[in-house]
Structures are given as structure tokens and as C-alpha cells.
Amino acid sequence: MKQKIEIQGEREYREALRQIQRELRLTNSELDVAKTAFDKTEKSEQDIIKVTGQYEKAINSQENAISKLDGYIAKMNEQYAKNGKEIDSLNKQKAEELKKLKEIEQTYSKSSDQYKQQSEKVDSLDKQIQKLNKEQDKLSQSTIQARTESNKIQTSLNKTTKEMDSLGAKTEQTNSKFLSISNDGFTVLKGVLADLASNAIQKILSAVAA
């Protein structure tokens, strides 16, 4: 009996990969637009919130993409192992049927019906093994592609996270400088007010003494 063996999840993976790549291109392009706009602004609180939101969106998208790819890699590895066991089993069956084929050849002849029937069994098993081996090659290629894509996205995620951390550090420094300037300004202002008050009191005392 001829078995029909399909690559489970391979087609879904291909479609998912295309969808992941489309979503990442869109998210990354939106982040690029936000960064460009942010560079041209005076870095107000709203500007910072807006660009930070785009960074968070990009990071979430990249993390989700990696998670999905890792899931498909796990499924394809599972299918690869399952196919491997099936190939081993078919090879054992083929070896047994080949042994029977040789016995039939010795007992009858290659032109006999018995030999023809047994030869068909061997050929059927051989075709199944060849089909599975081709599917193993496809699974292996898809797994390598998924891992490569996952690594690329991880590199991009690391870069995005670093940029966001850098933005946070710069924003914190800017706020610290602003607070420092404000505090210094307030101290100077208190000094000026004190001087003015002292001068006014001195004038009043001078008028009384006169």
C-alpha cells in the first residue's frame, strides 16, 4: 500500500515568513519616518513619547517575528525527526523485500509473476524512500532559512533596543541639564531679590537717620 506523506507546516511556514517580512518592512519604515521627524524637532515631551512608541512597536514586532519563526523551526525539526524514523522503517522493509526478491529469483526466474509482484513491492518502497528524502531536503533548507531569518531579526532587534536605550539616556541627560540650569537660575534669582531687599532697607534706615 502506497503511503502519502506530506511536509506538515512547511507550506504554512512559507506563507508566515512572507507575512512576517511584510510586517517588519512596514514597522521598520514607520520607525525610520518617526526617527527622521524626531531629529528635525526640538525634542518636546510629545515628540519623545511619539518616537518611543514607534521604538516599542518595532521591538514588539521583531520579538513576535522571532517567536513565530522559532515555533516553525521546532515544528519542522519535529517533522524531520518523524520522517527520519519513517525512512529507517522503510529501509528495513525494503531490505527484507529485497531478500525475498532474491529468493524468488533463485526459486523461479526474473520473468515469473512472483518475481514481478515482489519487484513491484521493492519499487514502491524505494519511491516512498526517495520522496521522503526529497522532503527532508526541503525541510532542511526551510529550517536553515528560518534560522537565518531569525538571526537577522535578532540582530535588528538588538540594534533597535540599543537605539531606544540611547534615546532614553540622551533624554535623561537633557532633562538633568534642564533641571540644573533651572536650579542655578532660581539660586541667582534669589540672590538678586536679596540684594534688592537689602538696598531698600538700607535706604529706609538712611532716611530715618537723617
Side-chain angles (χ1 to χ4, degrees), residues 47-57 164 167-168 171:
D47 294 329
I48 294 171
I49 292 173
K50 185 176 180 180
V51 74
T52 300
Q54 285 298 330
Y55 270 111
E56 291 176 346
K57 183 179 178 180
M164 187 174 178
L167 173 65
T171 303

Side-chain angles (χ1 to χ4, degrees), residues 167-209:
L167 173 65
K170 288 180 180 178
T171 303
E172 186 176 354
Q173 290 174 2
T174 301
N175 290 339
S176 296
K177 289 180 179 178
F178 174 77
L179 289 173
S180 176
I181 292 171
S182 298
N183 290 334
D184 291 344
F186 183 65
T187 301
V188 171
L189 180 60
K190 286 195 296 182
V192 171
L193 290 174
D195 289 341
L196 289 174
S198 177
N199 291 336
I201 292 171
Q202 187 62 40
K203 287 181 180 179
I204 293 173
L205 291 174
S206 297
V208 171

Side-chain angles (χ1 to χ4, degrees), residues 58-147:
I59 289 172
N60 288 335
S61 179
Q62 290 162 351
E63 288 177 340
N64 289 335
I66 292 171
S67 179
K68 287 180 181 179
L69 288 173
D70 288 346
Y72 280 107
I73 289 171
K75 287 182 180 180
M76 288 188 288
N77 284 337
E78 182 180 350
Q79 184 63 33
Y80 190 91
K82 182 179 178 181
N83 286 354
K85 291 180 180 179
E86 184 68 21
I87 290 171
D88 290 341
S89 176
L90 290 172
N91 277 323
K92 289 179 181 179
Q93 292 180 46
K94 180 183 174 182
E96 293 174 359
E97 298 301 333
L98 277 171
K99 185 178 179 180
K100 292 179 182 179
L101 184 64
K102 289 182 180 180
E103 292 174 353
I104 291 173
E105 182 183 354
Q106 292 173 357
T107 305
Y108 302 95
S109 65
K110 288 186 177 182
S111 60
S112 65
D113 291 339
Q114 292 90 334
Y115 185 90
K116 183 179 179 181
Q117 291 174 0
Q118 186 63 22
S119 181
E120 288 176 351
K121 288 182 180 179
V122 174
D123 289 342
S124 176
L125 289 168
D126 191 54
K127 287 179 181 178
Q128 292 179 59
I129 293 169
Q130 289 180 15
K131 181 181 178 181
L132 274 173
N133 282 327
K134 288 181 180 178
E135 292 176 353
Q136 292 293 74
D137 289 339
K138 289 182 180 179
L139 280 170
S140 179
Q141 292 172 6
S142 295
T143 302
I144 291 172
Q145 182 185 25
R147 285 175 177 168

Side-chain angles (χ1 to χ4, degrees), residues 3-34:
Q3 298 178 3
K4 184 179 180 182
I5 302 174
E6 299 178 351
I7 303 178
Q8 298 180 1
E10 203 270 344
R11 182 180 299 177
E12 291 82 357
Y13 155 71
R14 295 283 181 184
E15 178 58 34
L17 179 60
R18 287 191 288 269
Q19 181 65 27
I20 286 170
Q21 290 171 335
R22 286 194 293 267
E23 290 176 357
L24 287 177
R25 281 196 296 269
L26 175 61
T27 304
N28 290 337
S29 65
E30 290 175 344
L31 177 59
D32 288 338
V33 170

